[in-house]
Every structure is written in structure tokens, then in C-alpha cells.
Amino acid sequence: MARRASKLASLAAAASGIYLYGNKFLDPNDFGVVRVGRAIATTAVITYDYLTSLRGVPYGSEEYDFLKSQVHLRSAERLRELCCANRGTFIKVGQHLGALDYLLPEEYTRTLKVLHSQAPQSTRQEIEQVIREDLGKEIKELFMSFEDTPLGAASLAQVHKAVLQDGRTVAVKIQHPKVQAQSSKDILLMEVLLLLVKQIFPDFEFMWLVEEAKKNLPLELDFLNEGRNAEKVAHMLKNFDFLKVPRIYWELSTKRVLLMEFMEGGQVNDRAYMERNGINVNEISRNLGKLYSEMIFVNGFVHCDPHPGNVLVKKCPASGKAHIILLDHGLYQDVEIRSNAAAYLPQITQLLNNVPRQMLLLLKTNDLLRGIESALHTRASASSFLNMSRCCIRAVSTYQRSKSHSLYRRAQISLTEALSLWQINLYELFLWLKGSQLGNWVIALLSRMHHSTY
């Protein structure tokens, strides 16, 4: 009897194994024990490497620096492999680490940056499953056509181009089906592992990363929140006629599916695309600076991922004007700079670990904007810095006027604001003349006149 039971159990196990292996909807990576075990093993190996590789080597010596760089590189590669294997939340956090050039060693940021191009893709069956569960209909019932190949895939979702039954062309953002269920467990796992690392290395100061993920990830996984952010920023910046934000189709949107107006264009750092389409790169750079300066210093509501793939440019055939198209509104920060601009300025000189976490996202935003300017070769005009300076002056002056009860003092503040803005305009004119043909002629003429007097 026992032998028969054992045989039946063996057959059942074998059958289960064959089923799991053959079932295309099941992936061993989705089992909690596999994900947890992989994360624990990777953390243990990295910790052991740091504890043993530098033991007995004089601190500050050339050998120490060389070995430390090697440990950084090995650990970064192991971390990248973990993120690629566990996917979802792990890739999201890995991408965030790869953008922290001002905090992490170069070996980490260089290795982890590749995660931006290694985001997973959901299968057609998984996409159909999410749409069926959230919208209650099949793809063929909702859409006249639906492109299988995504326009883009990220750590949490992917976007497909489709045409509704009424002929409207839309972008359909669909969340990877397993991310929602795995995210909270993944964050808890990361928190436990980082706490253990903190016990071994007391100087380890990255617990804030988990806190940020705990706060921001639920917002990014709620596509209805993203839709509300899109409408809010479109309303706040409606005075900028060059800005376009896709319209949201609420009747076909849920927490995991977001239907938007389809907009296309070239990436904001693609100078060749702009030259082919007759788009003024300096105008784009200037308008981008206006856009983000207004968000940071005037409205205090900031789009925190100006990745080139999320900011497109396109020339309007009718008007000939160049538009900036802002995509991916999942993560915004309410920053306090708008009402406390003056108070933040001294903190810039402090260590980055003491800077408020919102400021880290602003620094990341600033880095991305500077990278776009470098790609467009528009840094010389300093347009974004000038626009940011204007917004800073306006924000500080508004704050000072709100705290003043004297009519004379408010008038004085307004006069100072006007003079400061005039000085910036004058400097901008000087830079323009300096970079123009007219400016070169004027400088050459003044130089000749100067030499002729001697």
C-alpha cells in the first residue's frame, strides 16, 4: 500500500512538473521562493565579496582602490543579473540606481544603466488577459486594429498602438500582469535585505531608496493616477502653446489599462531628426527650460522622468510651430521650493545624503535636461539656466511679497524683481549677439576701433 502511494505521489509530481514546464503562462521566476532565494543569494555573495576582498589591504593605497573598483564592478553585475531575473519592481529600482550618478560609484551606474533597454515584454496572451479582466471585453471587440509589437516596454508596463472601433488612433498602456501582485512582496524583501546589510555595514545609507519605492511605486502602478496627473499638468501649463499632453480616454481606462490620444514625434535629444524636419533646436531647448522651470519653481508640481523617450518633439504641419509632447505622467513630486525657495539655497552645498529626497529627483531631472542640451549642442546659449533663473526670481519675489504687510516693501520687492529680470534679458541678448553673425561683425568692428586708437 505504501509502495503504491509512493508510486502515485511520484506520478503526480512528474505530471505536475510536465504541466508546469509545458504551461506557457507559468514562469519559474514568478514563484516567491525562487525570487526570494535568488535575492538572498545575490545579497549574501555581494556582502561576502566586500568583507573578504579588501581585508588586510591598506586603506587608501593604490591596491585598495583597484580592488575596491573590481568589487564594485562584480557586485554591480550581480545586481544587474538579479534585476533582469526577478524583473518588475527589481528592474524599476535598478533603473533608479543607475541614474544616481551623484551618489553611487561609477561602476554601479554604468552597469545598471543598461536596464533601461532590458525591460521585459508581456506576451499577447498576457495582454489579452489584462484587458479582459479590466475592461471585460476582448481586444477584437474594443479595437479595429491592435499592433502586437509594443511601441515601448518599461519595467512596469508597455504601450501598444491601436485603432478604436470609431476610428480614433490611440496609445494603449498595459501593465505587466504580475507586477501588481509581486510589488509589495518585492519591496518588503528589499527592505529586509537592506536592513541586514545595514547591520553588517553601519555606514550603508540607502534605506531611503526602499522608502521612496514604498511611497512612489503604488502611485506608478495606478494608471488612473497617471491620467489625473496628465490632465493636471496640461491645465497648469495651458499658457504654453508649444506643450502637448495626450488626452485621456477615461471610459476605457482602469488602474492597469490607460487609453490615451496617440501622439508621435522624434525624441527630444535627436538633433538629426529636428534638422531633417526643420525644427529649431535652440527653440526646443529654450522651451524645455521654460517648461521645467515653471513646474519646479512656480507650480511646485514636477514631472520627474524627463527621459528622452518620454519627451517628444514634432512640427505641426498647419502652423509650422514645433511642439513638445510630454508622456508618462506616472510620477510627479510636489516640491516645497515654490513656497520656500530661499530656504533651500544654502542646502545645495551640503552633502547629498542630507538633501531632501524630492531634491534628489530634481537633481535627476536636472541631469536629464542637461544631457538633452548636450545632445542638441545648445548648452552655449544657456537658455535653460536663464529660464530657471527667471522662475527662481519670480518664485522668491512672490514668497517675499506674501510675507510682507507693507505696501512700500511689496513695491520695493516688485521693483527689485523687475530689475533682476531685466538684467537676465540683457545678458540673454548679449549671448545671442555673441553667437550670431551680427554679433561677430560688431565685435570685429569694436576690436578694430580699439586698435586704431593706439
Side-chain angles (χ1 to χ4, degrees):
M1 188 71 178
R3 187 186 303 171
R4 186 180 178 188
S6 175
K7 187 176 181 180
L8 285 171
S10 299
L11 286 171
S16 298
I18 293 170
Y19 172 75
L20 291 173
Y21 179 79
N23 193 324
K24 57 191 173 185
F25 294 106
L26 292 177
D27 186 335
N29 288 308
D30 298 329
F31 294 109
V33 65
V34 175
R35 298 167 65 80
V36 171
R38 186 186 289 119
I40 291 174
T42 302
T43 304
V45 170
I46 291 175
T47 301
Y48 181 78
D49 200 356
Y50 275 103
L51 284 173
T52 57
S53 297
L54 301 174
R55 186 181 296 162
V57 182
Y59 178 81
S61 64
E62 288 186 13
E63 182 185 6
Y64 181 91
D65 291 339
F66 174 77
L67 289 175
K68 183 176 70 172
S69 177
Q70 294 301 304
V71 177
H72 284 338
L73 184 58
R74 287 195 299 269
S75 301
E77 288 172 346
R78 288 167 180 147
L79 195 56
R80 181 191 62 203
E81 290 169 6
L82 170 64
C83 293
C84 289
N86 277 10
R87 301 178 301 190
T89 308
F90 280 83
I91 286 186
K92 187 70 178 178
V93 172
Q95 289 172 341
H96 189 36
L97 288 172
L100 298 179
D101 301 273
Y102 40 85
L103 281 182
L104 289 180
E106 188 264 344
E107 294 86 351
Y108 275 92
T109 55
R110 184 181 72 243
T111 303
L112 294 175
K113 280 184 189 298
V114 302
L115 291 175
H116 282 284
S117 59
Q118 293 186 2
Q121 287 189 17
S122 293
T123 65
R124 170 77 180 206
Q125 291 83 358
E126 289 173 323
I127 290 168
E128 289 175 343
Q129 174 190 340
V130 173
I131 289 179
R132 189 184 304 118
E133 290 174 356
D134 282 42
L135 298 178
K137 291 185 179 180
E138 299 295 332
I139 285 180
K140 61 183 179 182
E141 296 179 75
L142 293 167
F143 305 103
M144 192 184 304
S145 66
F146 188 95
E147 294 186 3
D148 284 344
T149 304
L151 297 170
S155 56
L156 305 181
Q158 61 193 49
V159 179
H160 291 258
K161 183 179 180 181
V163 179
L164 291 170
Q165 296 292 353
D166 60 10
R168 289 177 294 176
T169 303
V170 294
V172 188
K173 184 172 182 178
I174 305 165
Q175 195 173 115
H176 299 313
K178 299 152 191 171
V179 171
Q180 192 80 245
Q182 292 170 346
S183 62
S184 57
K185 299 169 189 173
D186 286 345
I187 292 174
L188 178 60
L189 174 60
M190 291 179 198
E191 186 171 24
V192 171
L193 292 176
L194 289 179
L195 282 170
L196 290 173
V197 172
K198 175 74 174 173
Q199 295 301 312
I200 300 171
F201 302 104
D203 293 334
F204 185 80
E205 296 292 348
F206 283 90
M207 290 308 300
W208 61 267
L209 188 63
V210 174
E211 295 303 317
E212 286 295 304
K214 286 165 69 175
K215 182 180 71 174
N216 292 329
L217 198 57
L219 295 174
E220 292 188 79
L221 288 172
D222 182 359
F223 289 175
L224 295 178
N225 175 67
E226 178 176 344
R228 289 190 292 269
N229 284 342
E231 290 194 343
K232 181 176 179 179
V233 78
H235 177 72
M236 284 194 320
L237 302 176
K238 61 184 178 182
N239 55 311
F240 291 140
D241 59 357
F242 60 80
L243 173 65
K244 299 298 175 185
V245 177
R247 177 187 169 192
I248 305 298
Y249 299 117
W250 290 108
E251 69 276 12
L252 291 172
S253 295
T254 69
K255 284 192 172 186
R256 296 194 301 168
V257 179
L258 186 67
L259 253 72
M260 302 163 281
E261 176 186 4
F262 178 77
M263 291 185 173
E264 58 184 342
Q267 291 193 358
V268 73
N269 63 344
D270 191 344
R271 184 184 177 95
Y273 168 86
M274 295 189 203
E275 290 175 346
R276 285 197 309 271
N277 290 274
I279 298 174
N280 187 319
V281 293
N282 288 300
E283 181 186 356
I284 292 296
S285 182
R286 184 166 58 250
N287 286 341
L288 200 61
K290 285 181 184 178
L291 186 64
Y292 274 88
S293 297
E294 189 85 8
M295 280 194 276
I296 292 170
F297 296 105
V298 178
N299 295 301
F301 188 68
V302 188
H303 181 281
C304 285
D305 195 13
H307 187 273
N310 292 335
V311 187
L312 307 180
V313 293
K314 185 176 183 181
K315 191 170 187 177
C316 176
S319 65
K321 291 183 178 179
H323 292 155
I324 293 178
I325 302 167
L326 198 58
L327 307 175
D328 196 348
H329 302 270
L331 184 59
Y332 275 74
Q333 283 289 342
D334 294 317
V335 291
E336 299 171 11
I337 293 180
R338 177 170 56 116
S339 56
N340 298 292
Y344 270 94
L345 296 180
Q347 294 184 18
I348 303 300
T349 58
Q350 296 179 5
L351 293 175
L352 283 168
N353 272 340
N354 295 327
V355 173
R357 296 304 155 216
Q358 293 95 333
M359 287 297 293
L360 289 177
L361 281 169
L362 292 184
L363 290 172
K364 173 188 171 186
T365 300
N366 182 69
D367 288 345
L368 289 166
L369 292 175
R370 299 293 83 75
I372 291 168
E373 283 190 333
S374 295
L376 298 179
H377 308 301
T378 58
R379 295 297 300 275
S381 67
S383 59
S384 64
F385 290 103
L386 295 173
N387 285 318
M388 194 166 284
S389 298
R390 289 188 181 98
C391 283
C392 281
I393 290 168
R394 287 164 53 199
V396 171
S397 299
T398 301
Y399 173 75
Q400 290 175 336
R401 279 192 294 267
S402 70
K403 296 297 180 182
S404 175
H405 301 292
S406 165
L407 184 62
Y408 172 76
R409 175 60 183 152
R410 288 200 293 271
Q412 188 180 41
I413 292 168
S414 297
L415 179 61
T416 303
E417 176 187 10
L419 288 172
S420 298
L421 292 173
W422 180 80
Q423 287 176 318
I424 290 176
N425 291 338
L426 191 63
Y427 181 63
E428 187 172 38
L429 177 62
F430 165 75
L431 290 178
W432 178 80
L433 285 172
K434 186 179 176 182
S436 67
Q437 188 64 42
L438 175 62
N440 291 331
W441 290 340
V442 171
I443 291 172
L445 178 62
L446 292 175
S447 179
R448 285 199 204 94
M449 291 174 63
H450 174 74
H451 287 298
S452 65
T453 59
Y454 290 96

